[in-house]
Each structure stands twice: as structure tokens, then as C-alpha cells.
Amino acid sequence: MSFKLHLFNFALSLLVGLPVAHAAEEYPPLPTWKCTTSGGCVQQNTFVVLDQDSKFARGAPGSRTVADYAAMGVSTSGNALTMYHYVKTSSGLNNATPRLYLLGADGKYVLMNLLNQELSVDVDTSTLPCGENGAFYLSEMAADGSGGSGGSGAGSGKGYCDAQCQGFCCNEMDILESNSMATAMTPHPCKGNTCDKGGCGYNPYASGQRNYWGPGKTVDTSKPFTVITQFAANGGRLAQITRKYIQNGRQIGNGGTISTCGNEGTTGGMTGMGQALGRGMVLAMSIWNDAAQNMVWLDSGNNGPCASGQGSPSNIQSQHPDTHVVFSNIRWGDIGSTTKA
């Protein structure tokens, strides 16, 4: 009887497009591509896994269902991941704030070795208002999810770390922190437990490009676009981080370049960031807002066009309860190999 029920559930999941159980947990599939200049792009059998601390998921880490992911505002379709900040329930809105990691078919986090490589992703930030942050970034987490509290287990969403020392301290590379009005890319190198928490970011608006990012601007955030981040090395050392965009089949330059980052003796600087990229880092994706600072460091004052108080969580929840971000078509590999434009 139990075998028949299992077979029925398996068939039903295929019919309705739901992810099939991988190990004990139903990880939403998110195919990605690894690329080379000589061999093109090869599809990878990858998934996403919720962070262990996902408050509206009823299942325990490692045994969560499709319903648990939905309760956290998470769904996948083809190569696209959609994350909603707020989830509607019969009693109102749940402040889901999901965070996920890229998981391999072996049950371990995918380590992206990106020194002298590039990473590209298609992004839709059109519903992210002032104060919201759709984050696509790298963390030097262990592949097996060890090092944090609660033991190891990538399959349970364990082992998170970042340069703010949440979980524990580790190198962090913020590929894209953004909403429809502002964006930043920021390396946060660490040397031991000493991290560059402020980072060495590039924000087009803060750099004087006031018409570069936003609805109807050079990068038109009312429509999807592709983000390409290149980590060029010289003599095995990270020399430069460069940002490019593609939209409507056209490459957009002047997205920013970072060639220095703080004190190498204190936090590791560009050398330390490059070493972490060479060892391999884990892709993390999240959507969140900021009750403490209203995300002014990203999109207000000298950093963006948003007015004071506009990005408060209460304002976002009341006026933009449908806010969400879509990341899709994730590719990494040799510089110049992940896109065609």
C-alpha cells in the first residue's frame, strides 16, 4: 500500500510540475549552467534549499515539502526562481523573508570557483520598491554546510556565514543588492574573524550616474535584464571586478569596476577576496528589507533617489505587499562564455 501511494504521489508531482523529493526534502529544482569558451554551456542538476531558520516552514530542516517552500514565498519554474517577501494567508500577511542556497544533486552546496571567471543571471526587480533588497550573492560557506550552529547539513540549509558574521564570519561577495531604484555590488573580504563589513561597493548613483539605473533609465528596471560579473585575475591574483548588463539584446557598459578593496593586511583585501573565489563560494539568494536603516545605505541620499522614510518596512508592506524578485538563467564559467550579446 505504501509503495502504491509513493508511486501515485510521484506521478502526481510530475503531472502538476512539482519538484520530486530529493533525499527526504522536496527541493525545488533550479537548473543552472556551467560554461567554457571551448565547450559551451552544460546544464547542471541543481536545486535550491531554504535556510534552516525559515520561520513559516512547518517541516523540520531536511524534511520540508513544496508547501513549506510556498509558505516561505518560494517557487521555481524552469530555470527561474521567484521569491516573495510577504505571503498572503487567511489571517493576513506573513513576513516570510526567504533566503536560499544553491544545492547540487550530491546533497552538498555548489561551490562556484570564480577566480578569472564570470557569473551571469537574468533578473527582474520591477516590483522591488525603495527599501526592498533582492540579493544575489556569494558566501564562503562549507560545501557540507558545516561550521555553523546546529551541526552540519547542506541539505538542511545549515552552515550560513557572511562578512557581518551572521552564523560566523566568512568572505562575502555581494554580486547584486538591488531594487528598482538603486543597486550595488560589494566585495566583503575577511581575514579570520576580521571582516570588511562596510565593503568596497560600487553603486552607479553614488558614483554620479544618476540616470543609469531605474524605470526607463539606461538599465530599465521595469523590464528584465541580464547581470554579468567578471572576476579578472592577473598572475593568479584577483585584479578587477567588472559589471556589465544586457537588455533587449544590447550590452550595456559602465556598470562599474572595483580594483582595490581596503587593507589586505587587516581584512585580506582584493587578494583575500580572490583567494576565496578561487577556493569556491556558495550562491545565496534572498529578499529582505531593513527596519534599522530603511535601506538608506543602498537607495537614499547620495546612494539613490528614494526619499527619507520611503523604504520603511511598514510602508513597503502596506503599499507593496506583492513585492518579489525573480532570478533566472544562472550561468558561470570562462569570461565571455556565459552570454551571447
Side-chain angles (χ1 to χ4, degrees):
M1 182 67 178
S2 61
F3 173 76
K4 291 180 180 178
L5 182 62
H6 173 76
L7 191 61
F8 172 79
N9 287 337
F10 177 81
L12 181 63
S13 69
L14 291 178
L15 287 172
V16 301
L18 296 177
V20 178
H22 173 74
E25 182 156 342
E26 294 176 339
Y27 303 113
L30 186 69
T32 57
W33 284 263
K34 193 171 182 180
C35 307
T36 62
T37 51
S38 59
C41 295
V42 178
Q43 183 171 318
Q44 307 295 298
N45 188 24
T46 46
F47 305 79
V48 289
V49 58
L50 277 166
D51 183 84
Q52 64 173 336
D53 297 320
S54 296
K55 56 188 174 182
F56 296 109
R58 293 187 177 181
S63 61
R64 288 167 173 161
T65 66
V66 176
D68 288 314
Y69 280 83
M72 287 298 298
V74 175
S75 65
T76 62
S77 177
N79 64 28
L81 166 69
T82 301
M83 293 184 292
Y84 281 81
H85 187 132
Y86 301 103
V87 176
K88 295 178 182 178
T89 69
S90 58
S91 57
L93 288 178
N94 283 345
N95 182 12
T97 320
R99 183 171 67 209
L100 302 112
Y101 315 114
L102 190 65
L103 190 72
D106 60 359
K108 295 182 179 180
Y109 295 132
V110 175
L111 292 184
M112 292 184 173
N113 303 98
L114 288 169
L115 183 63
N116 213 32
Q117 302 276 284
E118 71 179 25
L119 172 62
S120 67
V121 59
D122 295 347
V123 182
D124 186 345
T125 64
S126 60
T127 70
L128 298 180
C130 292
E132 196 69 18
N133 189 339
F136 185 89
Y137 63 108
L138 301 166
S139 163
E140 198 177 8
M141 299 161 64
D144 64 359
S146 60
S149 60
S152 64
S156 299
K158 296 181 179 180
Y160 180 71
C161 61
D162 61 25
Q164 306 305 315
C165 300
Q166 298 182 58
F168 59 99
C169 301
C170 72
N171 289 285
E172 174 186 349
M173 175 66 220
D174 294 334
I175 301 292
L176 188 77
E177 291 192 283
S178 65
N179 54 45
S180 62
M181 304 305 293
T183 188
M185 66 169 176
T186 311
H188 294 273
C190 297
K191 195 169 187 177
N193 289 329
T194 303
C195 297
D196 190 340
K197 295 186 177 183
C200 316
Y202 185 90
N203 175 324
Y205 190 97
S207 301
Q209 297 170 278
R210 300 296 168 93
N211 293 309
Y212 191 82
W213 180 278
K217 297 189 177 180
T218 302
V219 177
D220 183 358
T221 58
S222 68
K223 303 172 183 178
F225 51 90
T226 302
V227 179
I228 307 118
T229 311
Q230 299 175 333
F231 302 95
N234 186 358
R237 178 188 180 277
L238 179 63
Q240 187 169 278
I241 303 170
T242 303
R243 166 61 48 77
K244 299 176 182 179
Y245 299 96
I246 296 174
Q247 191 168 47
N248 299 324
R250 180 176 64 91
Q251 185 166 298
I252 303 170
N254 299 318
T257 298
I258 299 169
S259 55
T260 61
C261 190
N263 188 313
E264 295 199 359
T266 304
T267 62
M270 286 288 279
T271 297
M273 192 78 258
Q275 290 170 346
L277 290 164
R279 289 188 294 265
M281 300 181 75
V282 174
L283 178 62
M285 294 161 282
S286 66
I287 181 171
W288 62 290
N289 53 39
D290 178 10
Q293 300 182 65
N294 295 342
M295 217 69 72
V296 296
W297 55 269
L298 175 65
D299 61 21
S300 298
N302 291 328
N303 301 313
C306 299
S308 176
Q310 192 175 358
S312 69
S314 59
N315 186 62
I316 295 170
Q317 183 170 341
S318 63
Q319 297 190 24
H320 306 277
D322 194 48
T323 185
H324 62 278
V325 66
V326 182
F327 297 123
S328 61
N329 194 27
I330 299 168
R331 297 171 183 253
W332 76 99
D334 295 341
I335 290 176
S337 70
T338 67
T339 61
K340 294 181 180 180

